[in-house]
Amino acid sequence: MSDQGREPSARERLADRQARAAARQRRQRMLLVILGALAVVAVAVVAGVVTLNRHGEKPLEKSYQGALAPAARQRDGSVAMAQPGVAAPVLDVWEDFQCPACKAMEERIGATMKQLAAEGRLKVVYRPFQLFQQDPLMANSRRAANAAACMPADHWVRYHDKLYAEQPPEGETGFPDADLIRWAEQLGVADPSFAACVRGNQKIKTVDQASAQAGRAGVDATPYLALNGKKVRNDVLGSPDDLRKAVAKAGGGSPGPGSTQSGATSGGAGEGTA
């Protein structure tokens, strides 16, 4: 009698049930791993928000309006803001333009970073990258980071601030190409090459390289600030005074060469109390 059409034996039925059960267990384990990874990301983002919001009873800093230290794009795509000759201390700012905690951090201490750089006390290195892995957050993040990478260095810091000012709500599609181009025009960047760079995602490789570099640097959440290569404490993320103290301790207590005290002073107005 051929095997075709015969009833499976008890042993075969048992083996089939065991195989199905093993497959279910593998799927369950995989689901748990995926859910666990998502939970870690969620906790990291929430922790960043909580860290910043614990200072919520204090007024946020207004956007910095003073003279900016010169900005230059570095070989790895990051943007360094510092007075000529100032090489230390260095504050690396790992950020995602779609990250609400990053926006809160920028509102809290962004003006202080700019002021310290203008005074020649600090070199700020902005390192935007893509943190989010699910749409629409992922696509929003990539479009904004690509546009920032397209932006000429002499307009970069103001564009950086504009992207945070226009950050879309979580869960909504935002940072459309047309707006990214229009915002640049408002800042005086109307070169067609910028629009082509935005629409063509011409700097997306730079964004991917920045994201890979963030992983190698141990960035586990945003915002992530490192002063002279060492991750700063949570209190520094939320307090202008604590940032100033940390920078002074790291060797930025005196104005460096090329500093513009008058410009920095005019931009200091509007800072919140620490």
Side-chain angles (χ1 to χ4, degrees), residues 51-65:
T51 297
L52 295 172
N53 284 349
R54 68 186 181 86
H55 295 275
E57 73 280 0
K58 301 174 183 178
L60 296 179
E61 291 186 304
K62 295 180 180 178
S63 178
Y64 180 76
Q65 299 298 323

Side-chain angles (χ1 to χ4, degrees), residues 78-259:
S78 61
V79 174
M81 177 178 64
Q83 292 291 355
V86 176
V90 177
L91 182 68
D92 289 296
V93 183
W94 298 90
E95 57 188 348
D96 186 316
F97 292 115
Q98 178 58 64
C99 166
C102 296
K103 179 179 180 179
M105 184 270 300
E106 177 63 32
E107 291 174 336
R108 172 63 59 184
I109 61 173
T112 303
M113 295 182 201
K114 297 179 179 72
Q115 182 178 5
L116 290 171
E119 292 174 351
R121 301 174 188 267
L122 180 67
K123 178 180 180 179
V124 180
V125 180
Y126 294 100
R127 298 184 178 278
F129 72 104
Q130 174 205 325
L131 168 70
F132 297 101
Q133 301 298 317
Q134 289 184 319
D135 283 332
L137 299 179
M138 179 176 72
N140 292 349
S141 172
R142 288 175 72 79
R143 281 192 297 274
N146 175 76
C150 295
M151 177 59 58
D154 57 343
H155 288 80
W156 193 91
V157 177
R158 296 302 188 195
Y159 193 65
H160 162 278
D161 295 351
K162 182 64 173 176
L163 290 175
Y164 277 127
E166 301 292 347
Q167 184 184 88
E170 285 188 277
E172 295 186 11
T173 300
F175 293 131
D177 290 348
D179 285 347
L180 293 167
I181 294 168
R182 178 169 56 85
W183 298 332
E185 292 173 347
Q186 293 173 355
L187 297 176
V189 180
D191 192 325
S193 63
F194 174 80
C197 185
V198 170
R199 292 194 178 98
N201 286 322
Q202 293 178 9
K203 295 295 184 179
I204 207 65
K205 183 177 180 181
T206 300
V207 175
D208 291 337
Q209 290 173 341
S211 301
Q213 188 175 0
R216 291 192 296 270
V219 178
D220 53 3
T222 54
Y224 184 105
L225 271 60
L227 187 57
N228 288 343
K230 184 178 180 181
K231 183 178 179 180
V232 303
R233 305 183 313 273
N234 288 339
D235 53 353
V236 174
L237 290 175
S239 167
D241 271 359
D242 283 342
L243 174 60
R244 292 188 186 94
K245 291 174 183 176
V247 169
K249 187 176 181 180
S254 302
S259 63

